Amino acid sequence: MSSLDQGLLSADLNGMTAIITGGASGIGLATVERFASLGARVALNHLPDDPTAVEEIERLRTEGLDVIGAPGDVSKAGLAEEMVCTAIAELGRLDILVNNAGTPATQRPIPFHDLDSLDEDRWEKILQTNLMGTFRCAHAAANALRTSNGAIVNVASIAGIGGSASSIAYAASKAGIVNMTRNLAKGLAPMVRVNAVAPGFVLSPWSADWSDEQRRNTIAATWLGRGAAPSEIAEAILFLSAGPKFVNAHTLVIDGGR
Ligand code: NAD
């Protein structure tokens, strides 16, 4: 691994804390590892019935990282807020919230002409998780973040800014996150900065069930000719959390060129 692959940012996060939603896999897990390895105490949020989360938390703790579990379903009103409040109480303070939990609510992409497949249940799952979940966690964390002059980073997608998407509903949920990022930044200013990342194709469990053709086509559309490693998105999340403090209300596209 070259020094470039390991990431260039060397922020000191000792004494700082973070909550990362959907932290048991992919981009979320890479972000937990990156933050904790820089000294932060990190609450790893995961779905309560996700068995891999317990294993990952144990592994990270064995590696000497200060990671605690924060089980909770962000798509459920009340439970998301409870998860955030419990995590803040355990962490003692909150400096960074990363709203990363998300779902496409489908194994296969739903073509935009297939309106019949976008039933109420699918819309509900996508909006409740991706959009409402992000708001709920930001709302519950707002006071603690105001106190610490903290930061929020939301995980959007190029799907939210006109890029390809697994469904109209998914694209709308991510467009909502881009919009909400600006408005939360305005609403929580000047104490809390709010930014977002908009990844393109990332090599995570997200695309594990994709067909070879879907994978090939997506990579062919990416000028760098590959998918991003989750750690590359984590690096950008770190930049927006702990980097230049005048960056605010911004959505950073990380798609390798499309
Ligand atoms: P992933 O499937 O590994 O991560 C998603 C995580 O969110 C999982 O751990 C999952 O259990 C968790 N999660 C789902 N619903 C939840 C809920 N209600 N409450 C708590 N946790 C929940 O895939 P990933 O690629 O790491 O995705 C992370 C984020 O990145 C998502 O928001 C996704 O929309 C976004 N994204 C991914 C890609 C990509 O190509 N992989 C591209 C653009 C954006």
Side-chain angles (χ1 to χ4, degrees):
M1 184 185 267
S2 76
S3 60
L4 273 179
D5 293 331
Q6 288 164 21
L8 290 171
L9 296 176
S10 56
D12 179 4
L13 302 187
N14 275 295
M16 295 178 75
T17 67
I19 298 174
I20 296 164
T21 69
S25 60
I27 296 167
L29 180 60
T31 309
V32 170
E33 293 197 69
R34 189 79 176 100
F35 281 24
S37 65
L38 291 170
R41 179 151 209 249
V42 181
L44 182 161
N45 160 254
H46 58 88
L47 284 167
D49 58 357
D50 180 354
T52 61
V54 179
E55 288 163 26
E56 291 296 352
I57 292 166
E58 228 171 83
R59 176 181 66 81
L60 296 170
R61 292 177 71 89
T62 307
E63 289 172 12
L65 302 180
D66 193 357
V67 176
I68 62 170
D73 184 339
V74 303
S75 74
K76 301 275 188 278
L79 298 185
E81 292 88 341
E82 192 182 317
M83 177 278 291
V84 169
C85 292
T86 305
I88 293 171
E90 284 182 37
L91 294 169
R93 57 180 282 140
L94 186 66
D95 298 283
I96 300 163
L97 168 68
V98 180
N99 283 309
N100 165 76
T103 182
T106 177
Q107 305 272 25
R108 307 234 162 275
I110 300 171
F112 287 5
H113 62 78
D114 181 10
L115 304 188
D116 290 342
S117 294
L118 276 183
D119 55 28
E120 290 287 328
D121 286 350
R122 216 184 292 270
W123 270 105
E124 182 78 6
K125 179 151 196 211
I126 289 174
L127 292 183
Q128 288 291 344
T129 307
N130 301 359
L131 190 58
M132 296 296 293
T134 295
F135 178 77
R136 289 183 187 114
C137 294
H139 184 195
N143 279 341
L145 290 171
R146 282 189 186 104
T147 304
S148 65
N149 282 309
I152 296 175
V153 179
N154 298 322
V155 179
S157 166
I158 55 166
I161 48 174
S164 65
S166 53
S167 72
I168 286 178
Y170 178 77
S173 75
K174 294 297 185 177
I177 290 179
V178 171
N179 178 272
M180 189 163 60
T181 295
R182 287 192 62 81
N183 291 336
L184 280 174
K186 193 172 184 183
L188 298 179
M191 289 84 83
V192 183
R193 294 182 306 116
V194 187
N195 292 289
V197 291
F201 179 43
V202 183
L203 301 164
S204 73
W206 193 267
S207 52
D209 296 332
W210 283 18
S211 66
D212 287 346
E213 190 193 4
Q214 193 182 352
R215 203 175 291 273
R216 259 197 317 273
N217 290 344
T218 306
I219 288 175
T222 304
W223 296 349
L224 287 184
R226 64 177 179 85
S231 60
E232 293 178 287
I233 311 302
E235 189 72 358
I237 293 172
L238 173 64
F239 172 79
L240 293 173
S241 307
K245 296 291 191 291
F246 208 57
V247 180
N248 194 25
H250 186 70
T251 293
L252 179 61
V253 173
I254 314 166
D255 65 358
R258 293 279 291 240

mmCIF file with all atom_site columns, all heavy atoms in Angstrom, residues 213-231:
data_model
loop_
_atom_site.group_PDB
_atom_site.id
_atom_site.type_symbol
_atom_site.label_atom_id
_atom_site.label_alt_id
_atom_site.label_comp_id
_atom_site.label_asym_id
_atom_site.label_entity_id
_atom_site.label_seq_id
_atom_site.pdbx_PDB_ins_code
_atom_site.Cartn_x
_atom_site.Cartn_y
_atom_site.Cartn_z
_atom_site.occupancy
_atom_site.B_iso_or_equiv
_atom_site.pdbx_formal_charge
_atom_site.auth_seq_id
_atom_site.auth_comp_id
_atom_site.auth_asym_id
_atom_site.auth_atom_id
_atom_site.pdbx_PDB_model_num
ATOM 1   N N   . GLU A 1 213 ? -22.303 -7.429 -15.574 1.00 0.00 ? 213 GLU A N   1
ATOM 2   C CA  . GLU A 1 213 ? -22.566 -6.406 -16.588 1.00 0.00 ? 213 GLU A CA  1
ATOM 3   C C   . GLU A 1 213 ? -22.772 -5.026 -15.944 1.00 0.00 ? 213 GLU A C   1
ATOM 4   O O   . GLU A 1 213 ? -22.220 -4.019 -16.401 1.00 0.00 ? 213 GLU A O   1
ATOM 5   C CB  . GLU A 1 213 ? -23.813 -6.788 -17.384 1.00 0.00 ? 213 GLU A CB  1
ATOM 6   C CG  . GLU A 1 213 ? -24.019 -5.907 -18.596 1.00 0.00 ? 213 GLU A CG  1
ATOM 7   C CD  . GLU A 1 213 ? -25.408 -6.059 -19.210 1.00 0.00 ? 213 GLU A CD  1
ATOM 8   O OE1 . GLU A 1 213 ? -26.244 -6.806 -18.650 1.00 0.00 ? 213 GLU A OE1 1
ATOM 9   O OE2 . GLU A 1 213 ? -25.651 -5.394 -20.233 1.00 0.00 ? 213 GLU A OE2 1
ATOM 10  N N   . GLN A 1 214 ? -23.541 -5.028 -14.856 1.00 0.00 ? 214 GLN A N   1
ATOM 11  C CA  . GLN A 1 214 ? -23.804 -3.751 -14.155 1.00 0.00 ? 214 GLN A CA  1
ATOM 12  C C   . GLN A 1 214 ? -22.499 -3.146 -13.634 1.00 0.00 ? 214 GLN A C   1
ATOM 13  O O   . GLN A 1 214 ? -22.247 -1.948 -13.733 1.00 0.00 ? 214 GLN A O   1
ATOM 14  C CB  . GLN A 1 214 ? -24.779 -4.004 -13.006 1.00 0.00 ? 214 GLN A CB  1
ATOM 15  C CG  . GLN A 1 214 ? -25.362 -2.732 -12.420 1.00 0.00 ? 214 GLN A CG  1
ATOM 16  C CD  . GLN A 1 214 ? -26.283 -3.023 -11.245 1.00 0.00 ? 214 GLN A CD  1
ATOM 17  O OE1 . GLN A 1 214 ? -26.607 -4.178 -10.964 1.00 0.00 ? 214 GLN A OE1 1
ATOM 18  N NE2 . GLN A 1 214 ? -26.698 -1.992 -10.554 1.00 0.00 ? 214 GLN A NE2 1
ATOM 19  N N   . ARG A 1 215 ? -21.662 -4.031 -13.084 1.00 0.00 ? 215 ARG A N   1
ATOM 20  C CA  . ARG A 1 215 ? -20.374 -3.587 -12.541 1.00 0.00 ? 215 ARG A CA  1
ATOM 21  C C   . ARG A 1 215 ? -19.483 -3.020 -13.666 1.00 0.00 ? 215 ARG A C   1
ATOM 22  O O   . ARG A 1 215 ? -18.898 -1.946 -13.543 1.00 0.00 ? 215 ARG A O   1
ATOM 23  C CB  . ARG A 1 215 ? -19.689 -4.794 -11.889 1.00 0.00 ? 215 ARG A CB  1
ATOM 24  C CG  . ARG A 1 215 ? -18.650 -4.479 -10.841 1.00 0.00 ? 215 ARG A CG  1
ATOM 25  C CD  . ARG A 1 215 ? -18.168 -5.767 -10.235 1.00 0.00 ? 215 ARG A CD  1
ATOM 26  N NE  . ARG A 1 215 ? -19.219 -6.392 -9.444  1.00 0.00 ? 215 ARG A NE  1
ATOM 27  C CZ  . ARG A 1 215 ? -19.453 -6.121 -8.162  1.00 0.00 ? 215 ARG A CZ  1
ATOM 28  N NH1 . ARG A 1 215 ? -18.691 -5.240 -7.538  1.00 0.00 ? 215 ARG A NH1 1
ATOM 29  N NH2 . ARG A 1 215 ? -20.416 -6.717 -7.515  1.00 0.00 ? 215 ARG A NH2 1
ATOM 30  N N   . ARG A 1 216 ? -19.435 -3.805 -14.792 1.00 0.00 ? 216 ARG A N   1
ATOM 31  C CA  . ARG A 1 216 ? -18.609 -3.374 -15.940 1.00 0.00 ? 216 ARG A CA  1
ATOM 32  C C   . ARG A 1 216 ? -19.068 -2.016 -16.463 1.00 0.00 ? 216 ARG A C   1
ATOM 33  O O   . ARG A 1 216 ? -18.270 -1.123 -16.719 1.00 0.00 ? 216 ARG A O   1
ATOM 34  C CB  . ARG A 1 216 ? -18.711 -4.424 -17.068 1.00 0.00 ? 216 ARG A CB  1
ATOM 35  C CG  . ARG A 1 216 ? -17.504 -5.376 -17.139 1.00 0.00 ? 216 ARG A CG  1
ATOM 36  C CD  . ARG A 1 216 ? -17.434 -6.093 -18.479 1.00 0.00 ? 216 ARG A CD  1
ATOM 37  N NE  . ARG A 1 216 ? -18.712 -6.587 -18.959 1.00 0.00 ? 216 ARG A NE  1
ATOM 38  C CZ  . ARG A 1 216 ? -19.247 -7.776 -18.663 1.00 0.00 ? 216 ARG A CZ  1
ATOM 39  N NH1 . ARG A 1 216 ? -18.594 -8.592 -17.858 1.00 0.00 ? 216 ARG A NH1 1
ATOM 40  N NH2 . ARG A 1 216 ? -20.416 -8.144 -19.165 1.00 0.00 ? 216 ARG A NH2 1
ATOM 41  N N   . ASN A 1 217 ? -20.391 -1.876 -16.633 1.00 0.00 ? 217 ASN A N   1
ATOM 42  C CA  . ASN A 1 217 ? -20.935 -0.624 -17.182 1.00 0.00 ? 217 ASN A CA  1
ATOM 43  C C   . ASN A 1 217 ? -20.636 0.563  -16.271 1.00 0.00 ? 217 ASN A C   1
ATOM 44  O O   . ASN A 1 217 ? -20.316 1.655  -16.735 1.00 0.00 ? 217 ASN A O   1
ATOM 45  C CB  . ASN A 1 217 ? -22.455 -0.736 -17.375 1.00 0.00 ? 217 ASN A CB  1
ATOM 46  C CG  . ASN A 1 217 ? -22.803 -1.677 -18.508 1.00 0.00 ? 217 ASN A CG  1
ATOM 47  O OD1 . ASN A 1 217 ? -21.931 -2.000 -19.325 1.00 0.00 ? 217 ASN A OD1 1
ATOM 48  N ND2 . ASN A 1 217 ? -24.039 -2.139 -18.549 1.00 0.00 ? 217 ASN A ND2 1
ATOM 49  N N   . THR A 1 218 ? -20.751 0.329  -14.966 1.00 0.00 ? 218 THR A N   1
ATOM 50  C CA  . THR A 1 218 ? -20.513 1.421  -14.021 1.00 0.00 ? 218 THR A CA  1
ATOM 51  C C   . THR A 1 218 ? -19.050 1.832  -14.051 1.00 0.00 ? 218 THR A C   1
ATOM 52  O O   . THR A 1 218 ? -18.731 3.031  -14.062 1.00 0.00 ? 218 THR A O   1
ATOM 53  C CB  . THR A 1 218 ? -20.912 0.980  -12.591 1.00 0.00 ? 218 THR A CB  1
ATOM 54  O OG1 . THR A 1 218 ? -22.253 0.516  -12.640 1.00 0.00 ? 218 THR A OG1 1
ATOM 55  C CG2 . THR A 1 218 ? -20.817 2.123  -11.615 1.00 0.00 ? 218 THR A CG2 1
ATOM 56  N N   . ILE A 1 219 ? -18.166 0.842  -14.092 1.00 0.00 ? 219 ILE A N   1
ATOM 57  C CA  . ILE A 1 219 ? -16.732 1.151  -14.129 1.00 0.00 ? 219 ILE A CA  1
ATOM 58  C C   . ILE A 1 219 ? -16.373 1.838  -15.452 1.00 0.00 ? 219 ILE A C   1
ATOM 59  O O   . ILE A 1 219 ? -15.598 2.794  -15.482 1.00 0.00 ? 219 ILE A O   1
ATOM 60  C CB  . ILE A 1 219 ? -15.898 -0.130 -13.888 1.00 0.00 ? 219 ILE A CB  1
ATOM 61  C CG1 . ILE A 1 219 ? -16.030 -0.522 -12.413 1.00 0.00 ? 219 ILE A CG1 1
ATOM 62  C CG2 . ILE A 1 219 ? -14.441 0.079  -14.275 1.00 0.00 ? 219 ILE A CG2 1
ATOM 63  C CD1 . ILE A 1 219 ? -15.387 -1.817 -12.020 1.00 0.00 ? 219 ILE A CD1 1
ATOM 64  N N   . ALA A 1 220 ? -17.024 1.371  -16.547 1.00 0.00 ? 220 ALA A N   1
ATOM 65  C CA  . ALA A 1 220 ? -16.741 1.985  -17.862 1.00 0.00 ? 220 ALA A CA  1
ATOM 66  C C   . ALA A 1 220 ? -17.153 3.454  -17.888 1.00 0.00 ? 220 ALA A C   1
ATOM 67  O O   . ALA A 1 220 ? -16.566 4.260  -18.597 1.00 0.00 ? 220 ALA A O   1
ATOM 68  C CB  . ALA A 1 220 ? -17.474 1.213  -18.957 1.00 0.00 ? 220 ALA A CB  1
ATOM 69  N N   . ALA A 1 221 ? -18.161 3.808  -17.089 1.00 0.00 ? 221 ALA A N   1
ATOM 70  C CA  . ALA A 1 221 ? -18.636 5.201  -17.059 1.00 0.00 ? 221 ALA A CA  1
ATOM 71  C C   . ALA A 1 221 ? -17.780 6.080  -16.151 1.00 0.00 ? 221 ALA A C   1
ATOM 72  O O   . ALA A 1 221 ? -17.960 7.291  -16.090 1.00 0.00 ? 221 ALA A O   1
ATOM 73  C CB  . ALA A 1 221 ? -20.091 5.242  -16.590 1.00 0.00 ? 221 ALA A CB  1
ATOM 74  N N   . THR A 1 222 ? -16.864 5.452  -15.426 1.00 0.00 ? 222 THR A N   1
ATOM 75  C CA  . THR A 1 222 ? -16.020 6.200  -14.472 1.00 0.00 ? 222 THR A CA  1
ATOM 76  C C   . THR A 1 222 ? -14.665 6.457  -15.115 1.00 0.00 ? 222 THR A C   1
ATOM 77  O O   . THR A 1 222 ? -13.973 5.510  -15.501 1.00 0.00 ? 222 THR A O   1
ATOM 78  C CB  . THR A 1 222 ? -15.836 5.373  -13.176 1.00 0.00 ? 222 THR A CB  1
ATOM 79  O OG1 . THR A 1 222 ? -17.121 5.049  -12.660 1.00 0.00 ? 222 THR A OG1 1
ATOM 80  C CG2 . THR A 1 222 ? -15.048 6.146  -12.125 1.00 0.00 ? 222 THR A CG2 1
ATOM 81  N N   . TRP A 1 223 ? -14.291 7.732  -15.252 1.00 0.00 ? 223 TRP A N   1
ATOM 82  C CA  . TRP A 1 223 ? -13.075 8.064  -16.008 1.00 0.00 ? 223 TRP A CA  1
ATOM 83  C C   . TRP A 1 223 ? -11.827 7.434  -15.393 1.00 0.00 ? 223 TRP A C   1
ATOM 84  O O   . TRP A 1 223 ? -10.880 7.130  -16.100 1.00 0.00 ? 223 TRP A O   1
ATOM 85  C CB  . TRP A 1 223 ? -12.904 9.585  -16.096 1.00 0.00 ? 223 TRP A CB  1
ATOM 86  C CG  . TRP A 1 223 ? -14.004 10.257 -16.870 1.00 0.00 ? 223 TRP A CG  1
ATOM 87  C CD1 . TRP A 1 223 ? -14.956 9.650  -17.644 1.00 0.00 ? 223 TRP A CD1 1
ATOM 88  C CD2 . TRP A 1 223 ? -14.282 11.652 -16.934 1.00 0.00 ? 223 TRP A CD2 1
ATOM 89  N NE1 . TRP A 1 223 ? -15.811 10.574 -18.173 1.00 0.00 ? 223 TRP A NE1 1
ATOM 90  C CE2 . TRP A 1 223 ? -15.426 11.828 -17.761 1.00 0.00 ? 223 TRP A CE2 1
ATOM 91  C CE3 . TRP A 1 223 ? -13.694 12.788 -16.381 1.00 0.00 ? 223 TRP A CE3 1
ATOM 92  C CZ2 . TRP A 1 223 ? -15.979 13.072 -18.041 1.00 0.00 ? 223 TRP A CZ2 1
ATOM 93  C CZ3 . TRP A 1 223 ? -14.240 14.028 -16.662 1.00 0.00 ? 223 TRP A CZ3 1
ATOM 94  C CH2 . TRP A 1 223 ? -15.357 14.167 -17.483 1.00 0.00 ? 223 TRP A CH2 1
ATOM 95  N N   . LEU A 1 224 ? -11.814 7.251  -14.088 1.00 0.00 ? 224 LEU A N   1
ATOM 96  C CA  . LEU A 1 224 ? -10.631 6.617  -13.484 1.00 0.00 ? 224 LEU A CA  1
ATOM 97  C C   . LEU A 1 224 ? -10.638 5.093  -13.686 1.00 0.00 ? 224 LEU A C   1
ATOM 98  O O   . LEU A 1 224 ? -9.700  4.405  -13.313 1.00 0.00 ? 224 LEU A O   1
ATOM 99  C CB  . LEU A 1 224 ? -10.533 6.958  -11.990 1.00 0.00 ? 224 LEU A CB  1
ATOM 100 C CG  . LEU A 1 224 ? -10.119 8.393  -11.654 1.00 0.00 ? 224 LEU A CG  1
ATOM 101 C CD1 . LEU A 1 224 ? -9.957  8.572  -10.153 1.00 0.00 ? 224 LEU A CD1 1
ATOM 102 C CD2 . LEU A 1 224 ? -8.830  8.808  -12.373 1.00 0.00 ? 224 LEU A CD2 1
ATOM 103 N N   . GLY A 1 225 ? -11.729 4.560  -14.232 1.00 0.00 ? 225 GLY A N   1
ATOM 104 C CA  . GLY A 1 225 ? -11.762 3.152  -14.610 1.00 0.00 ? 225 GLY A CA  1
ATOM 105 C C   . GLY A 1 225 ? -11.801 2.176  -13.457 1.00 0.00 ? 225 GLY A C   1
ATOM 106 O O   . GLY A 1 225 ? -11.375 1.017  -13.575 1.00 0.00 ? 225 GLY A O   1
ATOM 107 N N   . ARG A 1 226 ? -12.321 2.583  -12.309 1.00 0.00 ? 226 ARG A N   1
ATOM 108 C CA  . ARG A 1 226 ? -12.425 1.697  -11.145 1.00 0.00 ? 226 ARG A CA  1
ATOM 109 C C   . ARG A 1 226 ? -13.435 2.266  -10.165 1.00 0.00 ? 226 ARG A C   1
ATOM 110 O O   . ARG A 1 226 ? -13.863 3.418  -10.296 1.00 0.00 ? 226 ARG A O   1
ATOM 111 C CB  . ARG A 1 226 ? -11.058 1.544  -10.449 1.00 0.00 ? 226 ARG A CB  1
ATOM 112 C CG  . ARG A 1 226 ? -10.540 2.852  -9.853  1.00 0.00 ? 226 ARG A CG  1
ATOM 113 C CD  . ARG A 1 226 ? -9.225  2.652  -9.110  1.00 0.00 ? 226 ARG A CD  1
ATOM 114 N NE  . ARG A 1 226 ? -8.701  3.894  -8.564  1.00 0.00 ? 226 ARG A NE  1
ATOM 115 C CZ  . ARG A 1 226 ? -9.044  4.414  -7.381  1.00 0.00 ? 226 ARG A CZ  1
ATOM 116 N NH1 . ARG A 1 226 ? -9.918  3.779  -6.603  1.00 0.00 ? 226 ARG A NH1 1
ATOM 117 N NH2 . ARG A 1 226 ? -8.527  5.547  -6.958  1.00 0.00 ? 226 ARG A NH2 1
ATOM 118 N N   . GLY A 1 227 ? -13.840 1.439  -9.210  1.00 0.00 ? 227 GLY A N   1
ATOM 119 C CA  . GLY A 1 227 ? -14.666 1.936  -8.120  1.00 0.00 ? 227 GLY A CA  1
ATOM 120 C C   . GLY A 1 227 ? -13.771 2.465  -7.011  1.00 0.00 ? 227 GLY A C   1
ATOM 121 O O   . GLY A 1 227 ? -12.587 2.133  -6.942  1.00 0.00 ? 227 GLY A O   1
ATOM 122 N N   . ALA A 1 228 ? -14.341 3.296  -6.129  1.00 0.00 ? 228 ALA A N   1
ATOM 123 C CA  . ALA A 1 228 ? -13.572 3.824  -4.988  1.00 0.00 ? 228 ALA A CA  1
ATOM 124 C C   . ALA A 1 228 ? -13.509 2.786  -3.883  1.00 0.00 ? 228 ALA A C   1
ATOM 125 O O   . ALA A 1 228 ? -14.467 2.023  -3.677  1.00 0.00 ? 228 ALA A O   1
ATOM 126 C CB  . ALA A 1 228 ? -14.233 5.090  -4.453  1.00 0.00 ? 228 ALA A CB  1
ATOM 127 N N   . ALA A 1 229 ? -12.406 2.756  -3.165  1.00 0.00 ? 229 ALA A N   1
ATOM 128 C CA  . ALA A 1 229 ? -12.365 1.990  -1.916  1.00 0.00 ? 229 ALA A CA  1
ATOM 129 C C   . ALA A 1 229 ? -13.141 2.788  -0.867  1.00 0.00 ? 229 ALA A C   1
ATOM 130 O O   . ALA A 1 229 ? -13.116 4.023  -0.892  1.00 0.00 ? 229 ALA A O   1
ATOM 131 C CB  . ALA A 1 229 ? -10.921 1.813  -1.463  1.00 0.00 ? 229 ALA A CB  1
ATOM 132 N N   . PRO A 1 230 ? -13.843 2.101  0.053   1.00 0.00 ? 230 PRO A N   1
ATOM 133 C CA  . PRO A 1 230 ? -14.540 2.832  1.118   1.00 0.00 ? 230 PRO A CA  1
ATOM 134 C C   . PRO A 1 230 ? -13.622 3.806  1.857   1.00 0.00 ? 230 PRO A C   1
ATOM 135 O O   . PRO A 1 230 ? -14.046 4.890  2.262   1.00 0.00 ? 230 PRO A O   1
ATOM 136 C CB  . PRO A 1 230 ? -15.038 1.708  2.039   1.00 0.00 ? 230 PRO A CB  1
ATOM 137 C CG  . PRO A 1 230 ? -15.231 0.545  1.123   1.00 0.00 ? 230 PRO A CG  1
ATOM 138 C CD  . PRO A 1 230 ? -14.116 0.646  0.109   1.00 0.00 ? 230 PRO A CD  1
ATOM 139 N N   . SER A 1 231 ? -12.350 3.432  1.993   1.00 0.00 ? 231 SER A N   1
ATOM 140 C CA  . SER A 1 231 ? -11.408 4.303  2.721   1.00 0.00 ? 231 SER A CA  1
ATOM 141 C C   . SER A 1 231 ? -11.219 5.638  1.998   1.00 0.00 ? 231 SER A C   1
ATOM 142 O O   . SER A 1 231 ? -10.901 6.653  2.638   1.00 0.00 ? 231 SER A O   1
ATOM 143 C CB  . SER A 1 231 ? -10.057 3.597  2.898   1.00 0.00 ? 231 SER A CB  1
ATOM 144 O OG  . SER A 1 231 ? -9.512  3.290  1.630   1.00 0.00 ? 231 SER A OG  1
#
